[in-house]
Amino acid sequence: QLQLVESGGGLVQAGGSLRLSCGVSGRTLGTYATGWFRQVPGQEREFVGGIGWNGGTTVYAESVKGRFTISTDTAKNLVYLQMNSLKPEDTAVYFCAQARGLGPYSSRQQYVFWGQGTQVTVSS
């Protein structure tokens, strides 16, 4: 059974950096698209970035473009979200997810498998 597990969240000051990791088990990367989302309590889950099935094509939300980078290590079945120049408004629970298509996708409805999330808090 496919499972996604996020790690790397924590508390960081504005302007700092964090790298989130998503471990995929039950199958290997390189077949379907993967993405990162974030959610604040009481709000909709928001798209952050997505990467295509072969790890070569990416798409980002306008709010994080130029600051965040998504990448994959297919040999290790890992998906990364490198977050630089963090802002307080980046504070959220971050989720990784996998779609059933080739991607990349920016729409939440394209993603089927979800991790449990990891908290990122950016202080001012």
Side-chain angles (χ1 to χ4, degrees):
Q1 183 177 355
L2 187 143
Q3 293 183 331
L4 305 169
V5 180
E6 303 93 339
S7 62
L11 175 64
V12 64
Q13 288 189 326
S17 299
L18 283 175
R19 188 179 74 166
L20 305 183
S21 299
C22 175
V24 181
S25 63
R27 66 167 297 151
T28 60
L29 297 177
T31 303
Y32 298 112
T34 309
W36 286 93
F37 290 75
R38 64 189 182 187
Q39 188 170 25
V40 176
Q43 299 184 11
E44 294 291 323
R45 192 164 296 186
E46 176 190 22
F47 172 76
V48 175
I51 190 164
W53 68 278
N54 62 355
T57 305
T58 55
V59 61
Y60 298 95
E62 193 67 28
S63 60
V64 306
K65 191 176 299 182
R67 299 188 298 120
F68 291 9
T69 303
I70 187 171
S71 61
T72 61
D73 185 337
T74 57
K76 298 180 179 179
N77 290 337
L78 291 174
V79 183
Y80 301 106
L81 183 67
Q82 178 67 46
M83 304 184 294
N84 299 325
S85 301
L86 282 162
K87 305 174 181 180
E89 51 263 45
D90 295 319
T91 296
V93 177
Y94 283 72
F95 300 86
C96 64
Q98 190 173 76
R100 286 191 177 273
L102 301 182
Y105 302 112
S106 60
S107 175
R108 185 178 59 195
Q109 68 183 20
Q110 298 293 333
Y111 293 89
V112 178
F113 303 100
W114 296 85
Q116 296 301 307
T118 185
Q119 177 72 47
V120 172
T121 302
V122 184
S123 65
S124 60

